[in-house]
Amino acid sequence: MKIGFIGLGIMGRPMALNLKKAGHDLIVPERGSLTDEIRAAATVVADAKAVAAGAEVVILMVPDTPDVERVLFGASGVAEGLKPGTLVIDMSSISPTATKDFARRINEKGCDYLDAPVSGGEVGAKNAALTIMVGGPEAAFERAKPLFEAMGKNITLVGGNGAGQTCKVANQIIVALNLQAVSEALVFAAKAGADPAKVRQALMGGFANSRILEVHAERMIKRTFAPGFRIRLHQKDLNLALQSAREMNMSLPNTAIAQQMFSAVAAAGGADLDHSAMVQAIETLAASKVAEG
């Protein structure tokens, strides 16, 4: 299958290469940042319009809602090159509300649209082990499923367009609150005189165990905060959660607190650190409480 892929960053690059390994032909837009590996694996064309014109399926993996809108509907964007029957798959993590509008506009051109954000980070992308949460028509999902299986393991059609993005927002809430809980627990243990590494080892054998405790707690203990998944991107996802909550007239108080923890690290220059660096905000808060009294 001819796959157009737009967004070849930390996540997108290995995802695209896994599609190539599965036997698909890649078409990508020219960018100065394209690696030699991608240039060797793909046909490079002028822009997103040309990508869409040559592809049966167009996949997007870009940072935020405005980026998706620009790639789809901006000058020389995907929408200008679409042929009826092309499938557009947005694997970015963006606004569920905007996603529904983007899907409607693509549908008007005789094309199907899936929102299919992912979880699993760079490691999951490289190992083709991503969790993929999909929103859209079932027939389009079935058409795309072999592509998803080349990139991920846990693949679920959650509902109609926007449902995939809603699921991803829920995922990011859970991850953020787990990061906050693990950070607080390890800082508490350290302040009480216990060895955080041994506390983590003990907790991994009990009911408190989680992937956050396994993976991110080790990063916290070793102070290895190279991304991974950047704090600024998790901030963006929690902003989507809080915005969606306002639209539904509901409150997410603990999500708001987690967002403030991320904001504290970002304000100190850590926006591009791994999100496990939230522990730094907890440590700073703990130190300030000690200083106060």
Side-chain angles (χ1 to χ4, degrees), residues 169-286:
V169 170
N171 178 86
Q172 295 303 80
I173 292 171
I174 293 169
V175 171
L177 297 189
N178 270 273
L179 282 167
Q180 184 173 333
V182 169
S183 296
E184 289 187 8
L186 293 183
V187 173
F188 169 79
K191 290 292 182 182
D195 181 342
K198 292 182 178 178
V199 169
R200 169 182 171 271
Q201 182 180 353
L203 294 178
M204 283 174 60
F207 215 58
N209 192 25
S210 68
R211 286 290 292 161
I212 300 298
L213 187 66
E214 291 175 16
V215 177
H216 291 83
E218 185 176 23
R219 295 176 186 174
M220 294 172 189
I221 291 164
K222 293 182 176 179
R223 321 300 291 180
T224 54
F225 297 134
F229 188 75
R230 289 178 170 83
I231 280 177
R232 61 179 174 84
L233 294 178
H234 211 143
Q235 282 185 293
K236 178 262 296 183
D237 291 341
L238 294 191
N239 280 336
L240 292 175
L242 295 170
Q243 175 188 337
S244 297
R246 286 192 295 271
E247 292 171 357
M248 295 184 289
N249 195 30
M250 66 174 292
S251 176
L252 298 174
N254 292 310
T255 301
I257 293 170
Q259 177 69 303
Q260 289 300 307
M261 294 295 101
F262 283 134
S263 295
V265 180
D272 284 315
L273 297 178
D274 185 82
H275 54 176
S276 58
M278 179 192 278
V279 71
Q280 294 181 333
I282 306 294
E283 290 168 336
T284 300
L285 186 61

Side-chain angles (χ1 to χ4, degrees), residues 57-196:
V57 177
V58 179
I59 296 175
L60 279 63
M61 188 61 178
V62 297
D64 204 348
T65 306
D67 303 299
V68 173
E69 184 168 26
R70 175 182 51 78
V71 170
L72 288 177
F73 305 111
S76 298
V78 167
E80 293 184 11
L82 286 175
K83 309 173 297 295
T86 304
L87 173 59
V88 177
I89 306 174
D90 178 29
M91 303 189 77
S92 320
S93 296
I94 69 165
S95 162
T97 302
T99 290
K100 294 176 184 178
D101 178 61
F102 297 164
R104 177 188 59 78
R105 293 162 71 181
I106 294 298
N107 292 160
E108 289 173 353
K109 294 184 172 293
C111 301
D112 281 324
Y113 189 97
L114 296 173
D115 48 291
V118 304
S119 180
E122 185 181 6
V123 172
K126 288 181 175 178
N127 295 333
L130 293 168
T131 291
I132 305 177
M133 304 155 251
V134 188
E138 186 170 357
F141 172 74
E142 291 299 330
R143 179 182 173 190
K145 196 170 182 181
L147 306 181
F148 293 146
E149 289 171 342
M151 296 181 283
K153 298 295 185 186
N154 182 23
I155 303 157
T156 306
L157 178 62
V158 182
N161 282 127
Q165 296 295 353
T166 297
C167 187
K168 178 58 186 290
V169 170
N171 178 86
Q172 295 303 80
I173 292 171
I174 293 169
V175 171
L177 297 189
N178 270 273
L179 282 167
Q180 184 173 333
V182 169
S183 296
E184 289 187 8
L186 293 183
V187 173
F188 169 79
K191 290 292 182 182
D195 181 342

Side-chain angles (χ1 to χ4, degrees), residues 25-49:
D25 295 326
L26 290 178
I27 306 170
V28 304
E30 177 61 66
R31 295 286 187 276
S33 58
L34 291 181
T35 64
D36 291 342
E37 187 177 23
I38 287 291
R39 290 185 183 278
T43 299
V44 181
V45 297
D47 50 34
K49 176 182 176 179

